[in-house]
Amino acid sequence: MRTVLLVNPPVWFADGEPHTLDTEYPPLGLLYIAAWLRRYTTFVPRVVDVAPQGLTLSDLAGILRRERPFAVGIAAMTLQLQGAVEVATVVRREAPRCPIFLGGNHVSGDPTFVERNADLFDHGITREGERTFADALNRLEAGESLPVMLEGEPIGSLDDLPFPDRTLIDRRRYLRPEYLMASRGCPFHCDFCATPALAGPARRRSASDVLEEIASLVRVSRGRLAFQDDNFTADRDFVFAFCEGVRSRGWSLRWICSSRIDLVDEELVRSMKQAGCEGIHFGIESGSERLRAESMHKRGFDNARIRETIRCCRTQGVRANGFFILGAPGESVERLEETEDLILHSGLSAVVISLPLPFPGSGMYERAKRAGVIDEDFLDRFARKALGAGITGVYPLYLESLDHETVSRAMRRLYRRFYLRPEVALDWIRRDLASPRVLVQDLRSGLHLLARGTSCRKPFE
Ligand code: B12
């Protein structure tokens, strides 16, 4: 029996203990890869999700000694690079002959990372990993040698993918909704988004394939689902077919998804609501139309359309939540005020505010690189903790016009002003009462918000 360990590292380890931002989301990409290995190879996949399992570096060493894996595959977003390096270091020490693969978002946007860090990683696979990782393992087993870098071959028809193998994780360690994806990629290319480096052309599954996966999940999820798609409503016909499928099966579901302001209207939201949609996340980014269009390359809707879409969701009883970025190149105090006005007076139910983090794979990263804010050498030193452990104050922000203190202050003020309004706070508390775990988590966030002005889950303050 040849085991392949698939590891989701934490953001970093301190004295061997894992530190991370969020532990409540299952590592869907690794579960897809595991399902593919099970169907198309004879390798036995094991998923190690370090932070939710609370594993220390010495626990990992023990797992490696016990499992003696044929290969180790490590997943990493850019902010997990320190964790990935520390995991690879343990693998090198405990299983020196075991090939180490790196995949996921970081290497897809920074494909020379593995060559630059060849002492720790043997191979990198960019883009979607299922098919190419399986082929690579088979070739290694047959005694072939592999190039250091392989480009992941995207799955043409997503209906050909086996469902993620959720038996490989302990469900109780994650939040209640069952996470799933109905598509890969997004037809739009916003400047700050790293998806284009990973996903290639936008593709979606058929409604019947998604419904079949849900049928297998209804019992464990108690009907609560969260779609991870970048843009769930990119294909309108799909959404109608999916919602009709849910209704005709008589399922009582409660689900959330992400969409774009200009891809939602009353007819669509009504259909989604009837199929159990409770909330839609919209990337709004800024209250300044010019900043949104020119700096963030998010075009196609104005502020009037934003207010109209939010109103339309509220009318149907669907929560509209907004994602914002403060301080992107071209930001100004006046533009921050426009954002504040939009956040406080448009009827949003929740907001998530970020600062401009240049991640490889995004247009913003290329611009930040040209501006001398970040480069590959920086990423290598970041990954090795040469600049300090963790993220805050270590990973750079791409701020051009305003300084860090000004945007952080604006972020704290906005969070406080938004969430401490009685109608918003009470709405959260009412919903949280249904789940003690979420209640505890939100109370922690609420206390953090009162004390420091931000949610405790934000990487930057
Ligand atoms: C869900 C999600 C999260 C979840 C966690 C997800 C998890 N546990 O995997 C949470 C909420 C924690 C999260 C947090 C953040 N996220 Co996020 N997130 C997503 C999201 C929406 C979906 C991820 C997903 O499930 N994809 C579906 C699966 C099928 O794809 P996948 O995981 O990428 O896996 C495939 C490939 O990457 C590859 N692969 C993956 N691992 C491996 C391993 C090996 C060995 C191989 C060979 C291949 C391989 O094969 C897989 C199958 O094809 C994506 C956007 C997106 N649509 O992808 C952003 C995304 C991954 N997040 C992103 C960011 C920036 C963040 C945050 C920094 C946001 C913030 N400012 O706080 C934090 C960082 C958290 C951290 N721990 O470091 C960026 C990553 C950019 C980058 N270069 O790192 C993305 C791409 C968003 C974007 N559009 O820019 N996120």
Side-chain angles (χ1 to χ4, degrees), residues 29 75 78-79 104-105 128-130 184 193-195 198 228 230 359:
T78 300
L79 292 189
N105 292 98
E128 291 164 35
E130 290 90 346
R184 286 188 179 180
C193 176
T195 285
L198 183 86
Q228 302 286 36
D230 291 282
F359 290 120

Side-chain angles (χ1 to χ4, degrees), residues 51-82:
Q53 289 176 243
L55 300 172
T56 62
L57 283 173
S58 52
D59 294 332
L60 273 177
I63 293 174
L64 286 157
R65 285 196 292 268
R66 219 172 35 246
E67 298 278 352
R68 298 158 56 93
F70 174 79
V72 172
I74 303 174
M77 295 187 223
T78 300
L79 292 189
Q80 288 169 294
L81 281 181
Q82 294 176 10

Side-chain angles (χ1 to χ4, degrees), residues 161-457:
L161 282 169
F163 302 150
D165 190 340
R166 297 181 173 86
T167 62
L168 295 174
I169 51 170
D170 178 355
R171 195 66 201 72
R172 291 164 305 179
R173 295 186 186 274
Y174 303 91
L175 280 183
R176 166 60 58 201
E178 204 52 74
Y179 292 83
L180 70 167
M181 297 275 281
S183 62
R184 286 188 179 180
C186 174
F188 301 92
H189 290 129
C190 301
D191 192 57
F192 47 82
C193 176
T195 285
L198 183 86
R203 287 143 300 142
R204 64 163 177 79
R205 297 163 62 189
S206 65
S208 59
D209 192 52
V210 178
L211 291 163
E212 197 185 313
E213 183 177 355
I214 294 174
S216 71
L217 297 173
V218 164
R219 198 180 50 81
V220 276
S221 67
R222 296 199 207 124
R224 294 198 50 204
L225 306 169
F227 287 96
Q228 302 286 36
D229 306 51
D230 291 282
N231 194 334
F232 183 74
T233 62
D235 184 330
R236 198 176 164 82
D237 292 341
F238 162 81
V239 182
F240 282 120
F242 169 74
C243 294
E244 179 47 35
V246 172
R247 284 194 299 272
S248 65
R249 283 163 178 76
W251 287 339
S252 161
L253 301 181
R254 291 162 62 195
W255 51 276
I256 54 170
C257 66
S258 296
S259 176
R260 231 180 100 99
I261 287 288
D262 53 343
L263 291 180
V264 162
D265 59 24
E266 201 142 334
E267 190 192 6
L268 196 79
V269 179
R270 190 178 313 117
S271 174
M272 291 165 75
K273 172 70 183 175
Q274 286 165 0
C277 178
E278 294 191 312
I280 308 178
H281 304 305
F282 294 103
I284 299 176
E285 322 305 349
S286 171
S288 157
E289 292 173 349
R290 276 193 66 183
L291 186 71
R292 214 164 47 226
E294 288 170 13
S295 170
M296 298 173 165
H297 302 180
K298 189 158 230 170
R299 306 185 177 103
F301 56 86
D302 57 15
N303 285 357
R305 181 66 208 265
I306 294 174
R307 290 176 194 275
E308 170 56 23
T309 297
I310 297 170
R311 191 201 55 75
C312 149
C313 291
R314 284 180 76 97
T315 315
Q316 298 298 327
V318 171
R319 290 190 172 84
N321 307 321
F323 286 110
F324 291 86
I325 299 174
L326 303 188
E331 186 72 276
S332 66
V333 172
E334 296 71 36
R335 288 173 169 179
L336 285 176
E337 281 166 10
E338 290 180 72
T339 303
E340 178 158 343
D341 179 58
L342 191 66
I343 288 183
L344 296 179
H345 304 116
S346 54
L348 287 167
S349 296
V351 294
V352 176
I353 305 172
S354 308
L355 302 181
L357 292 156
F359 290 120
S362 66
M364 187 199 278
Y365 173 79
E366 296 304 324
R367 289 205 282 155
K369 202 166 138 181
R370 284 196 294 276
V373 170
I374 193 166
D375 61 11
E376 281 82 8
D377 179 55
F378 172 91
L379 289 168
D380 293 343
R381 287 186 294 134
F382 167 74
R384 305 276 177 154
K385 283 188 179 168
L387 305 162
I391 309 162
T392 305
V394 179
Y395 199 84
L397 297 169
Y398 183 29
L399 299 165
E400 252 180 18
S401 29
L402 294 183
D403 60 55
H404 187 173
E405 183 44 36
T406 308
V407 285
S408 301
R409 216 180 316 115
M411 179 163 94
R412 289 196 295 268
R413 189 181 62 239
L414 260 174
Y415 265 132
R416 277 210 189 98
R417 291 196 62 190
F418 183 84
Y419 281 105
L420 297 183
R421 288 177 304 169
E423 71 272 23
V424 175
L426 287 174
D427 184 40
W428 278 89
I429 291 169
R430 213 179 36 242
R431 260 183 296 162
D432 284 0
L433 290 176
S435 158
R437 227 174 117 192
V438 178
L439 180 65
V440 169
Q441 213 172 45
D442 281 346
L443 279 176
R444 271 183 49 219
S445 272
L447 288 174
H448 216 269
L449 190 71
L450 281 172
R452 301 173 71 172
T454 57
S455 151
C456 56
R457 287 180 230 162

